[in-house]
Amino acid sequence: MSWLQSQMLNAQPEKTFIRNKAAQVFALVFVTEYLTKWPKFFFDILSVVGLNPRGVDLYLRILMAIDAEVVDRDVIHTAEEARRNTLLKDTMREQCIPNLVESWYQILQTYQQSNSELTCQCLEVIGSYVSWIDLTLIANDRFINMLLSHLSVEVLREEACDCLYEIVNKGMDPIDKTKLVESLCQVLQSAGFFSINQEEDVDFLARFSKLVNGMGQSLIISWSKLVKAGDLKSAQDTLQSIESKVPLMLQLLVHEDDDISSNIIVFCYEYLQILKQLAMLSNQQKANLEAVMLAVIKKLTYDDEYNFENEGEDEAMFVEYRKQLKLLLDRLAQVSPELLLTSVRRVFNNTLQNWQTTPFMEVEVAIRLLFMLGEAIPASHGAHFCGDAAKASVLQDMMRTLVTSGVSAYNHTSVTLEYFETVVRYEKFFAVEPIHIPNILMAFLDHRGLRHASPKVRSRTAYLFSRFVKSLHKQMNTFVEDILRRIQDLLELSPPENGFQTLLTSDDQLFIYETAGVLIVNSDYPADRKHILMRNLLSPLMEKFKILLEKLMLEQDEERQSVLADCLNHSVGFASRTSKAFSNKQTVKQCGCSEVYLDCLRTFLPALSCPVQKEVLRGGVRTFLHRMIICLEEEVLPFIPTASEHMLKDCEAKDLQEFIPLINQITAKFKTQVSAFLQQVFMPLLHAIFEMLIRPAEENDQSASLDKQMLRRSYFAFLQTVSGSGMSEVIANQGPENVERVLFTVIQGAVEYPDPIAQKTCFIILSKLVELWGGKDGLVGFADFVYKHIVPACFLAPLKPSFDLTDAQTVLALSECAVTMKTIYIKRGLECIHYLQQEYLPSLQVAPEIIQEFCQALQQPDAKVFKNYLKVFFQRAKP
C-alpha cells in the first residue's frame, strides 16, 4: 500500500511493464489474502487512489489482473482453483461489487472527455466483469446512455462497442434480453448507426459488426428458448425483432472489408437456421434469402490485390474467410436448394457466355459456385447426374457449358485450377456424356494443364489428372496408348548432372506414374500387350537406376552423393507407385506383369549394399518390398533373406524400427512358409535391437530417447506378430538361454518402462505365450516362469506410480493385463488360485477378504467381470 501511495507522488510514472507486474502481484495477494486476512482489499485501494489518474490507472490494471487470475475462461484451472475462484466471486458479489461499479461510473464521468486512455481501460474492465456480476448494475439508463454517448467519440467508440457486446452477451431471461437488445437498437438506429457508410472507419465498423452479431445471436437464443417453452406470442415478437436487424446484417455482410463481413457471419448463419425451421417463408424472408445469396456470391470473389504467385498472410485469411462463406452457402442450400440452383445457374451462364471479356475473378467465382454445389447439395457417391431430375438436368447443363465453352483456355491460374477441380469433382458427368472426354484429356495434357507455365497449376493438375483417370478408367480404353505417348517426357527421371529442370517435381511425377499404371492395368489389352507396356514404362527407370548406382559408388563428394541417392530413391518410388494399380497378386499375374516387377527387385536390391547414403536407399527399397509382398506374394520370398542381411548391417535405431514392420508383414502373411527364414534372422535381429537399446545416449537427447522408445515398441510388436501368427516355435527353438532373455525383455517392457502402448503389447505377448506354453504339456520350465515372473508383473506394473489409470492407453494396458491373469487361471486352474491365495497376494500384505474377493472375480466365467474388478482393485491399492 505504501508503494501504491508513492506512485501518486513520484515525478514520473513507472514504466508500463512495471505497472503490469505490480498489478499481477496485487492480484496474487488478493487471491491468497482476500477471503481470510484482507477483506477490505478493494476499499483500501480505492481509499488510496481516489480519482488520481495514476492511481486509477493502477486500480484498473489490478482489476484486469484479478480477472485474468480468477475469471479468464481461456485459462485451465484445477478443480481446487475453480472452487476457490467461485468463492472469491461470491464473496465479491456480497461485499464490494456495487462499490466497484460505482467507482467505474465515477471514473468514466471524470475522464471521458479528458483522458481517453483511462476511459478505455475502464470500459475494458466493465466488459470483463459484466459476465458474472448482477447485470442491472450496468444495464441501466445512466451506464447505457454514457456508453452510447461514447460511440460518437472516435477514441472511445471501439472500446464502448466491445463493452456493449459483453453486456448483450450476458445470459438472462429471453424476454428481458429481447427488451434490452431492442432498446439498444432503437438508440443506435436513431443515432444513425444502422446506415453503414463504406468510407466509415473500418476498425470501428469491425467492432460494431461484432456487436450487431452479438445482438442477433442473443435474439436467436431468446427465440429458441421461447419456442421451446411454448410462449409463441413472445417468440413471434422476438422473431420480428430479429427480422428488423436483417437489413443491417446484410449491409455488414456485403461490406468490402472482409473483417467486418466475417464478424457478422454467425448471426447470418443462425438466421438461416431459423428460416430452415419455419414451415413457410414470407415474401420478405424469401427476399432476405436471395439477398444473402447475392452477398455470398459477391464476397466469394477475389479482389485485385490477391497475390496468386506469392500467397502470404492476407491471402491465407481470405481463404479462411471463403470457408466461412461456404458454410453460409451450404446452409442456404438446406433452406432452399431450388433458389441456390437457380441463382448459381444464372450467374454461371451469364458469366460463361462472355468469359473472354470478363475479369478473371468473376469467371473464377462462377466456376467456383458450380464446384461448391457438389457439397452444398450432396449426392450419394457423387451421383449428381441421376435421381432428382431437376437438379441433375441443371448440373448437367452447367457441366456441358463448362467443358464446351473453351473457358479452359482462360489465361489466369485461379480460373484454370478451378476448371480442373470442377471437372474432377463431377467426373460422373463424363460417364453420362463421354463425348467430352477427348477434349478434357487434351486440356489436362497440354499447356492448360500438365504443361502450364505455372508450377502450381502443373503440380495440382498432376494429382487431378490421376484422380480423373482412376475414376473413369472404364472409359479410357481407346485413349491408353495415346496418353502414354503424350506423357512420355513427363515420366523421365531427371538425372542430377544435366541441370535440366523438369516440368514436374518428383512428387508430381508419382501421380503420373500411378496414372500410367492405372491405364495399363485397366485397359482391355491382352496380358502380353500389358506386359510390354509395363516393361516400356519401367525399363527406363531400371536402366537409369543401374547407371546412377554405379556413379554413387564412385562419388566422393557428399553433396553429390546426396543428390544421386535422392534420384535413385525417386526411381524406386516411381516403380512402387505404378504397382498401386494392382489390388493383389492375381491382377499382377493376369496382366502378365510379375516378371517386370521381379526385374525391378533384382535391379533395386543391390542398392542395399551401397556403403554411402544407406538411410535414403534402404528406405526406398524397403517401401518397394512392402508393395511387392502385396503384389507378388511368395515370389518375393527368395529375395527377403539377402535384403534382410543387408538391412541389419551398420544400422541405426530408426533403420531397425522401420525394418521390423517389413518382417511383421512377411510373418503375418506367409506364416509357416517363412519359418526357416525367421529362425535364421530372429537372433541377429534381436542382437541388433538389444545393442541399440543399451547404447548410451546423452541425458538430454530427447530425439535419441524417442528413437529408443519407438524401437522398443517395434521390437515388442515383432514378438507379438511372431507369437500371434502360430510361429511361437521360432522363439522356442532359440535355445533356453535366448528364450529366457527374450521373456525377461517382455517382463521388463510390461513393468519397467512407463509406456502404456508398449506395456499393452507386452501383456498381449505374455497372454499368448501362456496360452501356448502354459498348460501341463507346455514348454519345459515355463510354468515356473509364470509364477515367478508373469504373475508378479501383472501386479507390479499397475502398482507403479507412472501407471495412470485415468489415461485411456493405460486402461487398455490394464485390460490386457487382466486377459493375461485370466489366461494363467484357464491354463493352470486351481493351482493358480492356490498360489495367489497362499503365497503371492499375502506377500503383498493384501487383506484376506480382498484376496478372497480377487480370486472369486478371477474365477468368474465372464472375462469382463474380472477386467472391471481389476481396475477397482488397483484404484484402491494405489496410494
Side-chain angles (χ1 to χ4, degrees), residues 311 322 343 480 490 497:
E311 290 174 316
R322 259 189 159 193
S343 303
V480 171
L490 301 174
E497 61 273 3

Side-chain angles (χ1 to χ4, degrees), residues 392-453:
S393 164
V394 171
L395 277 173
Q396 204 165 322
D397 287 349
M398 285 195 279
M399 277 304 292
R400 196 180 305 114
T401 302
L402 179 72
V403 297
T404 58
S405 64
V407 75
S408 60
Y410 198 105
N411 190 20
H412 196 280
T413 56
S414 69
V415 175
T416 307
L417 284 169
E418 207 54 66
Y419 173 82
F420 285 118
E421 295 281 359
T422 307
V423 160
V424 173
R425 164 156 284 183
Y426 298 110
E427 30 84 11
K428 287 193 168 53
F429 164 76
F430 300 96
V432 179
E433 297 192 21
I435 190 171
H436 305 294
I437 290 176
N439 289 337
I440 297 299
L441 288 173
M442 282 312 300
F444 269 117
L445 293 166
D446 65 19
H447 65 279
R448 290 168 287 178
L450 293 168
R451 290 173 172 78
H452 196 279

